[in-house]
Each structure stands twice: as C-alpha cells, then as structure tokens.
Amino acid sequence: MSSALEPDDLKPQETLEELVRRIRYRLTSILRSYDIPSEDADDLLQDALLEAFRKWDKIYNKEYWLLGTLRFICSNYWKKLRLNPSEAMDLPALEGLCPPLPPPQAKREDALDLRQILKGLDPRHQRALWLRFAMGFTPHEVADQLGYSRASVRKLTLRAMSRLRRQTSSPDPPVDEEEGEVPEPELD
C-alpha cells in the first residue's frame, strides 16, 4: 500500500527530460510571472536545466529544486538589469547615445586635410590646433603640452580658428562704391 506522498527514494528515478515534460506548465508560468521577455526566457530556462543536470544526483526533491532555481535565476535577471541599465536598452537606443566611430582611415584623411589647412598659420597656432583637433586633446591637456594657461589656449585656439576662416573663405564679392551694396550676380 503506497501513500500519495512518497519520498524520492521510493519513486522510480525520473529523467530530467521527463521531469521537464511533467512540469512544463509550471516552468512557463514562472517565466510569465517574472515578465521575462521571450528572447531571454529560453536562456534562463536553459541555465536552470544545466544547473539541474550538473547536480542531478545530489538533488533530493528535483521538481521543487528546479522550480526554485528558475525563480532564483529570474530574480537575478531583473537585479542585473537594474544594476546595469545599458544591458536593458535596445541596440538602436544605445547607438543613438554613442554613435559608431569612423574608421581609422577616415580619421587619417581628416588629419591630412587639417595638416594642409594649417600650413598657412604660424607654428604656435598650428601646434595648438593640431593637439586640440587632430589629437583630440582637451584644452587643459593642450595647455599642459604647450606650457600655457587654459585661458591662453582658449584664446589661441579662437584666434587660430578665425585666421583659418579668413584663409579658407572665398573672397567677398566686390562692393559697388557708388551705392554701397553688393551687386546682383548675372544669371544668364
């Protein structure tokens, strides 16, 4: 005469596959109760099953152990996402926060273009702009490199930029001295 509540020792040994088939509904209800996204639910269940497989011979009550382990893993899933919010964000949102960097050859081409543009400036302006824009130094780092104060670097950079604008801008159209206005271009 067997009672309804037999210990695991008296039951025939159930395989992991049989156990999962038998408690499948309870496993999915745990995943739903924790609001686990479907793309992560399979991974979390797989983690619980792997752990059960590793410890299968040492587990006394396999059903409750597996259900408890899955609850624990689901709880840790949300804790980890709260601690590291970047993992919880989707890829387009992350790319919006930090756009991809240009390839090194594009940066090299920009540096060569900058070097060509800087040729018309005096050496101290060239060094300041090169360190600031080609090398990516902060104004404080440029000041340390050149031995200037931060305010001096700011002024030096602004002056160099205005000189570059004057050099690279097209000459102003001639002004009609009689009227003091810029003549209209001929469209014919």
Side-chain angles (χ1 to χ4, degrees):
M1 189 158 155
S2 72
S3 68
L5 298 173
E6 293 179 338
D8 280 348
D9 295 349
L10 301 177
K11 286 184 187 176
Q13 288 295 324
E14 185 177 35
T15 65
L16 181 59
E17 184 179 355
E18 294 167 345
L19 175 65
V20 170
R21 246 188 250 122
R22 186 169 53 84
I23 64 172
R24 171 181 237 133
Y25 176 76
R26 292 173 72 185
L27 292 169
T28 56
S29 64
I30 288 172
L31 292 168
R32 270 189 248 121
S33 71
Y34 278 93
D35 274 339
I36 303 295
S38 60
E39 60 268 7
D40 293 333
D42 289 338
D43 293 338
L44 297 181
L45 181 59
Q46 188 177 38
D47 290 345
L49 292 174
L50 280 172
E51 198 59 34
F53 182 74
R54 282 190 203 115
K55 299 179 180 181
W56 189 251
D57 294 333
K58 299 175 187 171
I59 301 171
Y60 177 72
N61 190 330
K62 294 167 178 40
E63 177 180 339
Y64 292 117
W65 187 93
L66 185 58
L67 295 172
T69 300
L70 184 59
R71 283 187 193 98
F72 179 76
I73 289 173
C74 291
S75 177
N76 280 345
Y77 170 84
W78 288 114
K79 284 179 188 175
K80 188 175 16 168
L81 287 181
R82 276 194 304 273
L83 293 175
N84 192 357
S86 66
E87 287 184 18
M89 297 180 79
D90 60 333
L91 189 59
L94 284 175
E95 285 180 351
L97 292 174
C98 183
L101 295 174
Q105 61 268 28
K107 187 170 180 167
R108 191 174 307 118
E109 289 171 5
D110 292 344
L112 290 173
D113 291 343
L114 182 60
R115 183 170 283 152
Q116 281 299 111
I117 292 171
L118 293 179
K119 283 185 177 179
L121 296 176
D122 63 272
R124 69 186 193 127
H125 286 124
Q126 286 180 10
R127 281 192 305 271
L129 291 181
W130 183 260
L131 290 173
R132 181 75 177 100
F133 298 108
M135 301 300 289
F137 285 13
T138 64
H140 182 68
E141 293 169 331
V142 173
D144 289 344
Q145 287 286 321
L146 297 177
Y148 297 135
S149 69
R150 247 190 281 185
S152 297
V153 168
R154 184 174 182 273
K155 288 178 188 175
L156 184 67
T157 304
L158 289 174
R159 286 183 189 142
M161 293 296 289
S162 68
R163 287 184 181 154
L164 274 179
R165 275 190 214 101
R166 276 186 263 138
Q167 283 179 2
T168 58
S169 66
S170 59
D172 294 333
V175 175
D176 190 359
E177 293 179 10
E178 295 175 357
E179 299 176 17
E181 296 179 10
V182 177
E184 291 292 321
E186 294 181 20
L187 300 175
D188 294 331

